Amino acid sequence: MMHSTSFKQVLAAILWLGASLLPQFALAQNSLKTTPTVDSKIRNIDGVAAVVNTGFVTRKEIDDRIAALQKQGGKLPDATTLRKTVLERLIIEKIQLQNAEQEGVSVSNKELDKIIGDIAVKNKLSLAELKVKIVATGSSYERYRQMLRDDVILSRYREREVEAKIKISDAEIDNFITDRNRAVAGAGGGATRSIPAGKGEPEEIDVAQIFIPADAAAGAGAQAEAKKKAESLLRDARGDVDFLQLGALAAKDNPKIKFQELGYRTPDRLPQLFYEAIRNTGSGQVANAVVKSPAGYHVLKVLDRRALVVNAEPQQAAPQESAPTTPQNIMVTQTMSRHILLRSREGLTDQDAERRLAGYRDQVRAKTADFGELAKKYSEDGSAENGGNLGWMGPGDLVPEFDQAMNRLQIGEVSNPVKTEFGWHLIQVLERREAQLTIEKQRQFARAAIRERKFDQAYQDWLRELRDTATVKILNADDPASSPR
């Protein structure tokens, strides 16, 4: 019941995006990619910046997108470069929407109503209040609906097309698990595989990162949100957690977040920003602070440091291979928790659900009621008869909102009300333990991690392929729509 699907993960990211942009509805308005209507089929050619297959991008669309970026207050390139960049983005979006339509990718009105309803809930607004805020920006509710519809269509189409291009072999999965086992053996309490470099001796460093993107053109609000997320992940990484699994969980919550292990590299092969941040960080330790780059924010962990051995003889390398490489060596933290669930339903507002769960929480904290008894009486799922007990759960077994709230709790602690796709939860952690991942779970995790490594390259290749096969003619992109003929 609590497992999330691939589409739900993408949809959750879109809902997060819609919620985060709520205070900036002007951006939502300006990023709208309008489709031709009967009235707009006859256009003055001077208003068209580019013909894209059977469609077009107008100069006004470029103006609107630039105005939205300027309102965000971020640092932007010079006017000519900015205009060309925005035009190219609009062309790519137009191509994707055209192809998605041809492939039958669509969003029904019922699905769209559900998405907008969830955005209103996340911002603690009624639908009527949401509409008022949209109109107050100078947009219209109909244009806002079209913007969201296009975003969902693009996300579905991208996921389907890019996923099909990512090929992961069994050998890649086996190698990933073997490397992870060695890293665990080296950083954990077992026999250390790596020999540290002596003072002044050359070394190799195995670094992993969790990357939270923040485009240089993004406004101050988006930058602050990305930094806040990175600092939260840094705090979590300092705990007793698997760093790459923490990254996988964050990526599940927001697909824009990436995680990867860079592998052993000499300092000169690491980005200078990274090396400066982990120069004095020991094996198994997290960098002291989040690293800011032009692309976004990076949370770094040193998985291992070892002496650089040049031209090592085969027999010298043999002891390294003696480290355990069987799948059973990967350990994860599992949590036993219980919850009280109030399902989302008509007649139960979010405010009422929060108020009821806050009341149960206060009773448990005051020791005037037992959590398990309250769960048996009030929880609205199958775990109620067991006092809300969910059993032992590992990283990624539960939906992200629940998982993150649970991981922040100490044993015996009760959470504040937590909202997920299933409704509102009150959570209590009962116990934690270190457990070995099953072979099946390890392979699932390895596949997800490898996919993250390959996704960016596959996505960029796919975009280039789309652009190269499209028929695009640039007409007049340099002048704004308001300029004379």
Side-chain angles (χ1 to χ4, degrees), residues 7 10 14 35 95-109 111 146 148-162 462:
F7 170 65
V10 174
I14 296 168
T35 53
I95 295 169
Q96 291 177 76
L97 284 170
Q98 291 170 345
N99 289 3
E101 182 179 4
Q102 293 175 3
E103 295 290 334
V105 181
S106 63
V107 177
S108 69
N109 288 331
E111 288 178 297
Q146 185 61 43
L148 285 180
R149 188 189 300 274
D150 286 350
D151 280 347
V152 177
I153 289 173
L154 286 173
S155 292
R156 289 180 178 178
Y157 180 59
R158 289 167 183 162
E159 182 187 28
R160 188 185 75 179
E161 294 297 311
V162 177
W462 176 67

Side-chain angles (χ1 to χ4, degrees), residues 49 62-63 66 69-70 76-89 474 476-480:
I62 302 175
D63 294 344
I66 290 174
L69 292 172
Q70 291 171 336
L76 297 174
D78 63 87
T80 301
T81 302
L82 177 62
R83 198 165 187 85
K84 289 180 179 178
T85 301
V86 168
L87 172 60
E88 189 61 31
R89 289 182 182 179
I474 308 296
N476 181 8
D478 294 335
D479 297 328

Side-chain angles (χ1 to χ4, degrees), residues 125 327 414 424:
L125 297 170
V414 179
W424 285 90

Side-chain angles (χ1 to χ4, degrees), residues 114-134:
K114 175 67 167 58
I115 292 170
I116 294 175
D118 287 342
I119 291 174
V121 167
K122 280 181 174 288
N123 289 275
K124 298 183 179 179
L125 297 170
S126 67
L127 184 58
E129 291 170 331
L130 177 64
K131 290 180 179 179
V132 169
K133 283 188 174 291
I134 293 171

Side-chain angles (χ1 to χ4, degrees), residues 189-446:
T192 301
R193 177 173 70 100
S194 301
I195 301 174
K199 187 174 181 180
E201 292 181 348
E203 69 169 346
E204 291 179 310
I205 310 170
D206 187 9
V207 179
Q209 71 155 330
I210 302 174
F211 170 59
I212 301 86
D215 194 290
Q223 291 278 347
E225 188 67 28
K227 183 179 180 182
K228 181 180 177 182
K229 179 62 177 177
E231 290 175 340
S232 173
L233 288 169
L234 178 63
R235 288 192 296 272
D236 292 342
R238 289 174 177 146
D240 187 18
V241 298
D242 184 290
F243 187 79
L244 290 176
Q245 287 177 348
L246 177 67
L249 185 61
K252 181 184 290 187
D253 188 28
N254 176 8
K256 291 186 176 181
I257 294 176
K258 305 299 178 186
F259 64 97
Q260 64 177 150
E261 181 179 344
L262 302 181
Y264 285 100
R265 299 188 185 188
T266 53
D268 61 298
R269 292 181 56 233
L270 285 170
Q272 186 64 24
L273 284 172
F274 286 16
Y275 182 62
E276 292 300 328
I278 56 91
R279 180 192 294 270
N280 299 314
T281 304
S283 296
Q285 301 299 311
V286 181
N288 290 330
V290 169
V291 175
K292 174 70 171 71
S293 76
Y297 295 88
H298 309 257
V299 181
L300 305 177
K301 181 172 184 177
V302 175
L303 300 180
D304 191 25
R305 303 180 85 117
R306 69 185 184 188
L308 176 62
V309 180
V310 182
N311 298 327
E313 297 295 328
Q315 58 266 34
Q316 291 176 295
Q320 297 183 355
E321 299 301 322
S322 64
T325 59
T326 57
Q328 289 77 14
N329 289 320
I330 294 183
M331 304 295 292
V332 295
T333 300
Q334 292 183 329
T335 302
M336 179 181 287
S337 66
R338 53 186 178 182
H339 76 148
I340 300 171
L341 170 65
L342 300 181
R343 290 189 178 278
S344 298
R345 62 179 183 276
E346 191 172 345
L348 179 67
T349 66
D350 285 332
Q351 291 79 5
D352 288 340
E354 283 190 274
R355 179 181 50 77
R356 284 179 56 184
L357 290 178
Y360 301 153
R361 175 202 62 200
D362 293 342
Q363 292 179 52
V364 174
R365 289 177 178 177
K367 299 185 178 179
T368 58
D370 178 74
F371 192 104
E373 293 303 318
L374 291 174
K376 287 181 181 180
K377 189 173 181 180
Y378 299 112
S379 190
E380 300 173 355
D381 80 333
S383 69
E385 62 183 25
N386 296 322
N389 196 314
L390 297 172
W392 290 105
M393 293 290 173
D397 286 339
L398 302 168
V399 290
E401 300 90 345
F402 192 105
D403 212 351
Q404 290 172 1
M406 178 183 71
N407 289 337
R408 286 193 291 265
L409 298 174
Q410 302 296 321
I411 293 176
E413 188 178 0
V414 179
S415 72
N416 293 322
V418 177
K419 179 74 162 63
T420 75
E421 62 193 84
F422 298 100
W424 285 90
H425 309 254
L426 197 65
I427 309 167
Q428 184 181 43
V429 169
L430 299 176
E431 193 176 347
R432 284 196 172 94
R433 71 182 184 188
E434 292 299 308
Q436 295 176 345
L437 277 181
T438 64
I439 296 176
E440 180 184 359
K441 282 284 185 182
Q442 288 183 59
R443 297 189 73 81
Q444 289 175 0
F445 173 72

